[in-house]
Amino acid sequence: MLKIGLTGGIGSGKTTVAKVFETLGIPVYYADDATKRLMNSNNALKALVIKHFGEASYKNEELDRKYIADIVFNDKEKLALLNSITHPATIEDANEWVQQQSSPYIIKEAALLFETEAAKHLDYFIGVSAPLETRIKRVMKRDGLSEAEVMKRISRQMNEEEKMKRCDFIITNNDEEMVIPQVLSTHEKILSRIKKEK
Ligand code: ATP
């Protein structure tokens, strides 16, 4: 079974595009959601978070996401530290999830793939691309953030152009081009690669 990474910058529309692949019967692993779940359920990971970020990281056994976000989105090193703690747990969980799937290919959707060890576990990459202004507007609207707050988050990520260069397939989600036909054509291309590799 082929393992395909789906990535793009904040607000590019990764989740939106992944949902379209799901309608084609392709199982999708949402890495950011999984990380949030694991931070609440994986005891070894919880212990590491408390060790590095303090007891205040959890309120009534639940991760205090605002407390953590306030720390990591204001401090590059703390963000790298949090990622170094969470990524191995998410990669392990994703690998276990892959074992349970049966389909020609699966997708792992994540904002960070090339920045982590995750890329090594994947065969091909789909990049979702959108202009910076569009991404900023979408995230301001979705998360109720100011432009400066969105920019701060974007500036912490690998630049989008760099990310897209490393992708095998690109889906443009710029409010002008239709996404569904692009997903269908990418799906067909992946299936034909699978046939060729057999
Ligand atoms: P993040 O990395 O922040 O999780 P993402 O790349 O997964 O973001 P989405 O959550 O899919 O992006 O999209 C961001 C917002 O933009 C959502 O509210 C989504 O509904 C909206 N959106 C995505 N694509 C389009 C589009 N083509 N037209 C209009 N709105 C869109």
Side-chain angles (χ1 to χ4, degrees), residues 8 20 30 39 61 65 73-75 83 93 96 99 128 159 173 181 195 198:
V20 184
Y30 294 92
M39 286 176 87
E61 300 277 303
R65 288 179 51 198
F73 288 120
N74 288 303
D75 184 333
N83 285 339
D93 185 67
E96 282 169 16
Q99 303 297 322
V128 182
N159 119 3
N173 182 24
K195 258 191 205 157
K198 266 187 186 164

Side-chain angles (χ1 to χ4, degrees), residues 8-17 32 109 111 128 135 138-139 141-143 157 173-177 179:
I10 300 173
S12 58
K14 296 178 294 296
T15 308
T16 307
V17 168
D32 294 349
E109 184 256 29
V128 182
R135 291 166 51 204
R138 284 178 186 158
V139 178
K141 190 172 161 200
R142 185 192 61 191
D143 298 341
Q157 295 191 337
N173 182 24
N174 59 3
D175 293 341
E176 280 160 28
E177 278 159 82
V179 165

